[in-house]
């Protein structure tokens, strides 16, 4: 009895596959009966249907057509010797024949069927939602491939973000895990397969020219090697002509000559590898997503903690009222504000801006803020307090980490003493004009020999003190202009006597209008204090 088969010629070489199904699907899809990896081949390109003793070839609406003996067809009854071309350029050519010896195909057909079954299992695993961790998927892939191919051992290597292959898992028969150090083999074949994207199937390393290149592998008794690329579609690739990328390799070897040398077995191993790659990539993406979710959750918790460390944004006293806001450019930031009662009458307040952004800056901001809370009550001299904070930070110095800071103390009689350590100069809005306050010293936490000075300014009722971080003055518009001190001054110069909360809202609105949708590049922190005058029973200066 004649046994129909296809002789295949493509980029993988020449091979044969038996037509052992009533409907035999050909296409790029990994679960096809004959999966072909070619850009000219559609996912479901064509099918061969058994009709009694006849075999009919049907095109399944492929993008680039199906040709028999040079003529494009939609349906054709095959005759022995017919040459089938898939696509335009003839990169895949099939010859229909009735002369195959069944015994030569039985073993490979069975093995290919097993691999197709495992490919379907992996496809189902991927469809379940990639809740399995990457190690579980890699173990399933390796154990399945070793069992079906009768290899003795194998490994998976995956590319890192720089495209360098990394050893991920090695397994042997019986589900034994091997360490990377114990897996002796030449890396020439897997690296070649990764770089070219072309499979290598070596039935016997002792034949041909392989012995010279793989002496170390042969020395430990290895005879056959099978290595296939792990390939996935590029993000955004089209359904038909989508490009692919190789994410790693699946390598198998053994001491016995391989039985999986037929074309159908090789094609099915590649189909298996395609589904394995998709399952591995899904698991890897899931792991990355889960890690990002954990990081996002941790950042949200850190942001909650940071907000809890800040005092209430509004504060009212008999002699003054205060309003402040801190808007990090990321989930957490490196700016802070704080205030506290120094004694029964004096009121201290500060604004700081540490170097950097994100979690490292947030941690340092918490350190600076805690040192402020500890040192401010010790002395009524702002310069002495700043020197103490500088010394405390230097005891636990972190390279390239420092903080700007402005600290002021206002007494009931209107005497306002301040020290500015590298911060944007505070602005005092008085009835007859404005004044920038620049007395102080360098940033804290950087210079051990730094010295600090303070200045005292007499505030009158209605006078406003405005302190901002450089995220305000350096805010950018969509045209990349800088907000600057002039715009800061214009926003608040006519605010004398207004409640601190109203001044804060005016300044913040001015910054937002100026930025007009441009991304916030730095943390924005503003503190506004209005002096109301001596409290009840307090003499005026």
């Amino acid at each position: 009895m004649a046994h129909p088969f296809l002789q295949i010629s493509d980029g993988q070489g020449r091979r044969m596959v038996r037509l052992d199904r009533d409907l035999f699907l050909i296409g790029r899809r990994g679960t096809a009966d004959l999966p072909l990896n070619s850009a000219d081949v559609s996912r479901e390109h064509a099918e061969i249907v058994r009709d009694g003793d006849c075999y009919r070839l049907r095109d399944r609406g492929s993008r680039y057509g199906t040709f028999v003996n040079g003529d494009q067809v939609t349906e054709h009854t095959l005759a022995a010797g017919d040459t089938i071309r898939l696509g335009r350029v003839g990169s895949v050519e099939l010859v229909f024949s009735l002369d195959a010896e069944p015994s030569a195909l039985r073993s490979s057909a069975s093995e290919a069927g097993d691999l197709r079954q495992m490919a379907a299992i992996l496809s189902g695993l991927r469809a379940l939602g990639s809740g399995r961790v990457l190690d579980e998927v890699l173990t399933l892939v390796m154990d399945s491939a070793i069992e079906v191919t009768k290899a003795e051992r194998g490994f998976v290597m995956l590319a890192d973000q720089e495209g360098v292959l990394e050893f991920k898992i090695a397994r042997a028969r019986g589900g034994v895990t091997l360490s990377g150090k114990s897996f002796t083999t030449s890396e020439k074949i897997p690296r070649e397969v990764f770089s070219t994207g072309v499979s290598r199937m070596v039935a016997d390393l002792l034949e041909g020219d392989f012995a010279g290149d793989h002496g170390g592998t042969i020395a430990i008794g290895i005879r056959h090697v099978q290595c296939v690329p792990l390939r996935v579609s590029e993000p955004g690739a089209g359904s038909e002509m989508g490009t692919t990328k190789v994410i790693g390799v699946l390598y198998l070897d053994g001491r016995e000559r391989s039985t999986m040398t037929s074309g159908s077995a090789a094609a099915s191993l590649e189909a298996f590898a395609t589904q394995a790659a998709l399952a591995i990539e899904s698991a890897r993406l899931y792991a990355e997503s889960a890690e990002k979710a954990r990081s996002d959750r941790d950042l949200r918790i850190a942001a909650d903690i940071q907000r809890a460390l800040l005092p209430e944004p509004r504060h009212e006293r008999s002699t003054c009222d205060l309003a402040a806001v801190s808007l990090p450019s990321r989930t957490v930031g490196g700016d802070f504000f704080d205030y506290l009662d120094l004694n029964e009458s004096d009121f201290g307040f500060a604004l700081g801006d540490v170097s950097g952004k994100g979690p490292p800056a947030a941690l340092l901001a918490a350190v600076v803020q805690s040192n402020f809370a500890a040192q401010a009550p010790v002395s009524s001299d702002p310069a002495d307090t700043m020197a103490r904070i500088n010394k405390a930070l230097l005891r636990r110095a972190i390279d390239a980490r420092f903080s700007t800071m402005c600290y002021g103390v206002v007494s009931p009689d209107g005497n306002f003493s301040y020290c500015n350590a590298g911060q944007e100069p505070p602005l005092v809005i008085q009835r007859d004009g404005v004044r920038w306050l620049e007395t102080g010293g360098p940033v804290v936490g950087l210079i051990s020999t730094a010295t600090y000075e303070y200045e005292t300014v007499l505030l009158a009722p209605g006078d406003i003190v405005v302190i901002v971080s450089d995220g305000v003055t350096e805010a950018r518009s969509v045209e990349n202009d800088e907000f600057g001190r002039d715009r800061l001054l214009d926003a608040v110069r006519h605010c004398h006597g207004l409640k601190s909360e109203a001044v804060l809202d005016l300044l913040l609105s001015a910054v937002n209008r100026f930025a007009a949708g441009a991304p916030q590049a730095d943390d924005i922190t503003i503190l506004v204090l209005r002096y109301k005058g001596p409290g009840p029973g307090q003499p005026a200066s």
Side-chain angles (χ1 to χ4, degrees), residues 445-461:
L446 186 63
I447 304 171
S448 60
T449 58
T451 58
Y452 298 89
E453 299 177 345
Y454 78 93
E455 179 185 18
T456 299
V457 177
L458 182 61
L459 301 179

Side-chain angles (χ1 to χ4, degrees), residues 288-302 331 359:
E288 292 174 357
S289 176
E291 179 60 31
K292 184 178 185 303
R294 284 192 293 270
S295 297
D296 290 345
R297 183 180 66 249
D298 291 345
L299 283 174
R300 287 194 297 271
I301 294 172
T331 307

Side-chain angles (χ1 to χ4, degrees), residues 404-459:
T404 62
M405 185 174 173
C406 182
Y407 169 47
V409 178
V410 62
S411 62
D413 60 4
N415 280 303
F416 171 51
S417 300
Y418 74 93
C419 177
N420 185 32
Q423 185 63 49
E424 284 289 323
L427 179 65
V428 176
I429 306 167
Q430 300 173 310
R431 185 179 299 275
D432 55 355
V434 297
R435 177 179 176 183
W436 298 99
L437 307 179
E438 304 194 31
T439 300
V443 298
V444 292
L446 186 63
I447 304 171
S448 60
T449 58
T451 58
Y452 298 89
E453 299 177 345
Y454 78 93
E455 179 185 18
T456 299
V457 177
L458 182 61
L459 301 179

Side-chain angles (χ1 to χ4, degrees), residues 167-226:
F167 190 92
K168 289 297 181 182
I169 187 173
R171 301 278 283 182
R173 287 179 186 174
V176 177
T177 298
L178 304 175
S179 69
K181 293 181 179 179
S182 68
F183 202 111
T184 304
T185 189
S186 167
E187 293 188 2
K188 182 176 182 179
I189 288 178
R191 295 193 183 281
E192 176 186 314
V193 169
F194 176 71
S195 62
T196 64
V198 178
S199 300
R200 291 296 302 271
M201 307 288 178
V202 182
D204 194 338
L205 286 172
L206 294 177
E207 296 179 354
D209 299 328
F210 295 109
D213 293 334
H214 304 283
T217 304
I218 294 172
I220 61 172
I222 297 300
R223 293 286 297 275
H224 83 264
V225 171
Q226 298 163 292

Side-chain angles (χ1 to χ4, degrees), residues 489-535:
L489 184 57
D490 290 341
V492 298
R493 69 166 67 246
H494 301 299
C495 292
H496 185 266
L498 294 182
K499 193 173 178 64
S500 57
E501 185 174 355
V503 179
L504 174 64
D505 290 343
L506 285 170
L507 178 53
L508 196 57
S509 296
V511 174
N512 290 334
R513 284 195 306 272
F514 173 78
Q520 181 183 338
D522 198 1
D523 304 331
I524 291 176
T525 302
I526 305 171
L527 184 149
V528 179
L529 177 134
R530 179 185 65 159
Y531 176 64
K532 296 191 291 186

